[in-house]
Amino acid sequence: MYNYSDFDEAFVRARVAQFRGQVERRLDGSLSEEEFRPLRLMNGLYLQLHAYMLRVAIPYGTLRSDQMRQLAMIADRWDKGYGHFTTRQNIQFNWPKLTDVPDILGALADVQMHAIQTSGNCIRNVTADHFAGAAADEVADPRPVAELIRQWSTDHAEFQFLPRKFKIAITGAAADRAVIRAHDIGLQIVREGDQIGYRVLVGGGLGRTPLIGQVIRAFLPKADLLPYLEAIVATYNLLGRRDNKYKARIKITVFENGIEAFRAATEAEFARIRPEFTGVDQDILAGIEAQFAPPAFRNTDPAPFAAALAVDPLLRAWAERSLAPHKRDNHAIVTVSLKAHGATPGDATSDQMRVLADLADRYGYGELRISHEQNVILPHVAKADLPNVHAELLRAGLATANVGLLSDIIACPGMDYCALATARSIPVAQGLATHFKAIGLEDEIGKLKIKISGCINACGHHHVGHIGILGLDRAGVENYQITLGGDGSEQAAIGERAGPGFAYDEVIPAIERLLRAYLALRQSRGESFIDAYRRLGPAPFKAALYPQEARDAA
């Protein structure tokens, strides 16, 4: 895992001192709120509905155990005893006092963390596959590349005031666990013969105009990555709209100019600047890669785990949902659900954070990951230790066996916290989870991605949910649109709006009708909702959502 250099340490400490001075000037009235706003946003501090919110970067979703403990300490000392993990693999603290934020940033710096560029029209936190470095199917660990991009993009003089915010995601596997096709730039590490390189996508994004990214380079040699990224972002910086913030994202730039024209402009810029990159970036990358060497894996016998599975149904159900194949046969990747039925998706208490840190130390080589699906990952656990891990998670209330099921919902904070939200998200997620558990259908329904956003900005990724729910304001009343058929995987698709929206108290009955129709229509238990939707098309599902319209049409 990456450790700060002396330069990193000095840079982050200087930013903390700078922001401390800015806060003091805001408090004594030397800075107005209008003047202070861009300064606080550069340091991840938002003003939400009820209080300030501090968004802390977790670069490429990777945490050490000591960093997780520090987040727990911050939650207890300066917040309300919890944090919220987000779809950008960040953590948000929803209740800090302005006077305390410089001290929080100082505490983050003590464990090599920061909140730099978690807001603003700049390159945001670079995200990665949450199984990075552990997945059996990856070509290469994407985290060293993500770290190189973080270093390149942080305080990049040319890219601090882009037309709009900019997001990059990277995966090292064919299976897309990082939603790279819904990002401004998506990167997939690929192998061509004996060469490692990148498949580069550009122009993806959600929000009010959702678009799937397009391939701008099918294979980019490893040594060309930074100059090519520089060329893409410089081209966007020049061509991107600044007259209308709703048309300022790179997805609109690519759409309006066309991928061929955007590619030509990027390639021309790349050809111009490529000679300036003399290979120093590759030397830096090699140094970073050395820091991401795998841990010294223990060579343990997995037989005790197999024996425990045979006699413990709780362990068996949890393992079925929570484990993924590791590159070592005697290890597994453990996803810890932060979606207990009725809980707020993505929230973790300080006690839970400490439990996770302790588990990482005892069983996981001190490493954790945060997923864009708002769960926590123990990437390296010996199979022999899985019964103990499960038992400790049970005691901490963290052993919910619902990863990938209906209640494993992505949800933005919605109107409970966010000043931009137009409807509630959290209560809808909680209601869906508890309702389907109560009626006993969650396991029968099987794999399903439900994603909920409380406004058109789509922080809940509803466009790429198998079932997406978007909360809007209609004349002062919450109204929820439902989209069907979205997908954030390597088969990425934007969901189709099913029809008119539903009132708040109509959402759960509508989703129940939809899913009961799916159960009646599927060919077998093995056919998932998204597979059935692709086979049958939207008509039977729309009929289930709007039965009166279906009867009238008949």
Side-chain angles (χ1 to χ4, degrees), residues 212-295:
I212 296 299
Q214 301 178 69
V215 176
I216 189 170
R217 268 286 193 110
F219 184 84
L220 180 73
K222 186 177 179 180
D224 287 342
L225 179 63
L226 275 197
Y228 202 76
L229 292 181
E230 182 111 13
I232 290 173
V233 184
T235 299
Y236 163 59
N237 203 21
L238 181 65
L239 298 179
R241 299 275 296 269
R242 284 182 163 85
D243 61 320
N244 184 335
K245 72 174 184 177
Y246 302 117
K247 296 182 179 181
R249 296 291 295 269
I250 192 174
K251 61 187 178 183
I252 303 300
T253 307
V254 172
F255 177 79
E256 290 185 340
N257 290 275
I259 186 63
E260 295 302 331
F262 190 87
R263 180 186 290 114
T266 296
E267 293 289 346
E269 177 66 6
F270 173 68
R272 186 185 71 81
I273 66 174
R274 182 63 183 91
E276 299 172 10
F277 286 76
T278 59
V280 173
D281 55 317
Q282 293 304 296
D283 294 338
I284 293 171
L285 177 59
I288 294 170
E289 287 173 335
Q291 295 200 50
F292 284 91

Side-chain angles (χ1 to χ4, degrees), residues 4 18 28 40 50 76 106 116 134 143 151 170 185 203 226 312 316 344 389 403 409 433 464 468 509 540:
Y4 276 12
Q18 181 189 60
D28 70 16
R40 62 173 168 78
H50 311 293
D76 279 337
I116 298 166
R143 293 175 302 154
Q151 294 187 22
I170 180 169
I185 293 176
L226 275 197
D312 187 342
R316 193 161 55 246
T344 300
V389 170
V403 174
I409 295 170
V464 291

Side-chain angles (χ1 to χ4, degrees), residues 34-309:
E34 184 178 357
E35 292 168 326
F36 182 58
R37 183 176 181 274
L39 303 176
R40 62 173 168 78
L41 289 176
M42 289 172 65
N43 292 280
L45 188 63
Y46 288 73
L47 187 57
Q48 298 284 67
L49 276 178
H50 311 293
Y52 284 101
M53 178 271 282
L54 180 65
R55 179 180 292 155
V56 176
I58 302 176
Y60 36 89
T62 293
L63 279 174
R64 303 190 309 256
S65 57
D66 65 309
Q67 292 172 324
M68 181 68 95
R69 286 194 190 90
Q70 191 78 334
L71 295 177
M73 184 279 290
I74 290 169
D76 279 337
R77 183 171 178 182
W78 291 299
D79 206 271
K80 294 190 176 184
Y82 73 97
H84 177 73
F85 292 105
T86 77
T87 56
R88 194 110 220 105
Q89 297 177 313
N90 295 312
I91 186 170
Q92 294 181 176
F93 294 107
N94 289 312
W95 303 98
K97 296 178 181 177
L98 179 57
T99 50
D100 292 332
V101 172
D103 289 336
I104 297 173
L105 295 179
L108 290 169
D110 290 342
V111 291
Q112 302 187 344
M113 296 184 74
H114 62 80
I116 298 166
Q117 291 188 199
T118 58
S119 181
N121 292 338
C122 56
I123 296 172
R124 301 284 186 91
N125 188 40
V126 179
T127 56
D129 180 355
H130 43 266
F131 294 166
D137 62 342
E138 73 178 9
V139 173
D141 185 345
R143 293 175 302 154
V145 180
E147 173 59 29
L148 179 71
I149 296 170
R150 183 195 70 81
Q151 294 187 22
W152 161 76
S153 63
T154 300
D155 260 14
H156 191 299
E158 187 179 347
F159 302 148
Q160 288 302 294
F161 300 96
L162 295 169
R164 199 70 173 85
K165 58 187 176 180
F166 202 91
K167 300 177 181 180
I168 300 173
I170 180 169
T171 181
D176 185 1
R177 291 178 288 264
V179 204
I180 63 170
R181 291 157 180 81
H183 278 75
D184 299 293
I185 293 176
L187 298 171
Q188 179 188 359
I189 301 176
V190 293
R191 188 186 301 276
E192 194 171 275
D194 59 355
Q195 266 200 310
I196 293 287
Y198 308 94
R199 185 168 181 253
V200 185
L201 299 98
V202 68
L206 303 179
R208 66 182 59 236
T209 310
L211 292 169
I212 296 299
Q214 301 178 69
V215 176
I216 189 170
R217 268 286 193 110
F219 184 84
L220 180 73
K222 186 177 179 180
D224 287 342
L225 179 63
L226 275 197
Y228 202 76
L229 292 181
E230 182 111 13
I232 290 173
V233 184
T235 299
Y236 163 59
N237 203 21
L238 181 65
L239 298 179
R241 299 275 296 269
R242 284 182 163 85
D243 61 320
N244 184 335
K245 72 174 184 177
Y246 302 117
K247 296 182 179 181
R249 296 291 295 269
I250 192 174
K251 61 187 178 183
I252 303 300
T253 307
V254 172
F255 177 79
E256 290 185 340
N257 290 275
I259 186 63
E260 295 302 331
F262 190 87
R263 180 186 290 114
T266 296
E267 293 289 346
E269 177 66 6
F270 173 68
R272 186 185 71 81
I273 66 174
R274 182 63 183 91
E276 299 172 10
F277 286 76
T278 59
V280 173
D281 55 317
Q282 293 304 296
D283 294 338
I284 293 171
L285 177 59
I288 294 170
E289 287 173 335
Q291 295 200 50
F292 284 91
F297 291 114
R298 294 186 296 120
N299 189 23
T300 54
D301 183 358
F305 172 57
L309 282 179

Side-chain angles (χ1 to χ4, degrees), residues 156-480:
H156 191 299
E158 187 179 347
F159 302 148
Q160 288 302 294
F161 300 96
L162 295 169
R164 199 70 173 85
K165 58 187 176 180
F166 202 91
K167 300 177 181 180
I168 300 173
I170 180 169
T171 181
D176 185 1
R177 291 178 288 264
V179 204
I180 63 170
R181 291 157 180 81
H183 278 75
D184 299 293
I185 293 176
L187 298 171
Q188 179 188 359
I189 301 176
V190 293
R191 188 186 301 276
E192 194 171 275
D194 59 355
Q195 266 200 310
I196 293 287
Y198 308 94
R199 185 168 181 253
V200 185
L201 299 98
V202 68
L206 303 179
R208 66 182 59 236
T209 310
L211 292 169
I212 296 299
Q214 301 178 69
V215 176
I216 189 170
R217 268 286 193 110
F219 184 84
L220 180 73
K222 186 177 179 180
D224 287 342
L225 179 63
L226 275 197
Y228 202 76
L229 292 181
E230 182 111 13
I232 290 173
V233 184
T235 299
Y236 163 59
N237 203 21
L238 181 65
L239 298 179
R241 299 275 296 269
R242 284 182 163 85
D243 61 320
N244 184 335
K245 72 174 184 177
Y246 302 117
K247 296 182 179 181
R249 296 291 295 269
I250 192 174
K251 61 187 178 183
I252 303 300
T253 307
V254 172
F255 177 79
E256 290 185 340
N257 290 275
I259 186 63
E260 295 302 331
F262 190 87
R263 180 186 290 114
T266 296
E267 293 289 346
E269 177 66 6
F270 173 68
R272 186 185 71 81
I273 66 174
R274 182 63 183 91
E276 299 172 10
F277 286 76
T278 59
V280 173
D281 55 317
Q282 293 304 296
D283 294 338
I284 293 171
L285 177 59
I288 294 170
E289 287 173 335
Q291 295 200 50
F292 284 91
F297 291 114
R298 294 186 296 120
N299 189 23
T300 54
D301 183 358
F305 172 57
L309 282 179
V311 298
D312 187 342
L314 273 181
L315 175 64
R316 193 161 55 246
W318 173 80
E320 180 184 353
R321 297 297 177 195
S322 305
L323 303 185
H326 193 279
K327 59 180 61 178
R328 289 178 63 91
D329 290 341
N330 65 342
H331 280 62
I333 301 169
V334 177
T335 298
V336 180
S337 171
L338 295 183
K339 316 284 180 58
H341 296 87
T344 300
D347 278 9
T349 68
S350 55
D351 286 343
Q352 290 173 330
M353 292 184 212
R354 279 185 279 267
V355 166
L356 291 166
D358 291 345
L359 288 173
D361 279 338
R362 280 199 293 276
Y363 305 113
Y365 307 93
E367 291 189 35
L368 303 112
R369 309 273 194 273
I370 307 303
S371 76
H372 80 272
E373 295 179 319
Q374 301 175 291
N375 291 319
V376 178
I377 317 297
L378 296 168
H380 313 293
V381 179
K383 288 181 178 178
D385 293 327
L386 288 171
N388 288 335
V389 170
H390 177 246
E392 295 192 36
L393 289 172
L394 268 176
R395 285 192 289 273
L398 287 168
T400 307
N402 65 341
V403 174
L405 298 181
L406 180 150
S407 59
D408 186 12
I409 295 170
I410 288 179
C412 74
M415 282 183 65
D416 287 281
Y417 297 100
C418 183
L420 301 177
T422 50
R424 291 168 289 174
S425 298
I426 293 170
V428 177
Q430 293 168 322
L432 284 168
T434 54
H435 176 76
F436 281 92
K437 181 184 181 184
I439 64 175
L441 283 184
E442 183 171 33
D443 285 328
E444 180 68 20
I445 291 165
K447 293 181 180 179
L448 181 66
K449 301 288 189 184
I450 295 182
K451 306 179 192 296
I452 306 173
S453 299
C455 80
I456 198 68
N457 290 309
C459 294
H461 292 192
H462 68 275
H463 293 297
V464 291
H466 300 161
I467 298 173
I469 302 173
L470 168 62
L472 298 170
D473 181 301
R474 290 285 185 261
V477 177
E478 289 169 305
N479 183 272
Y480 292 85

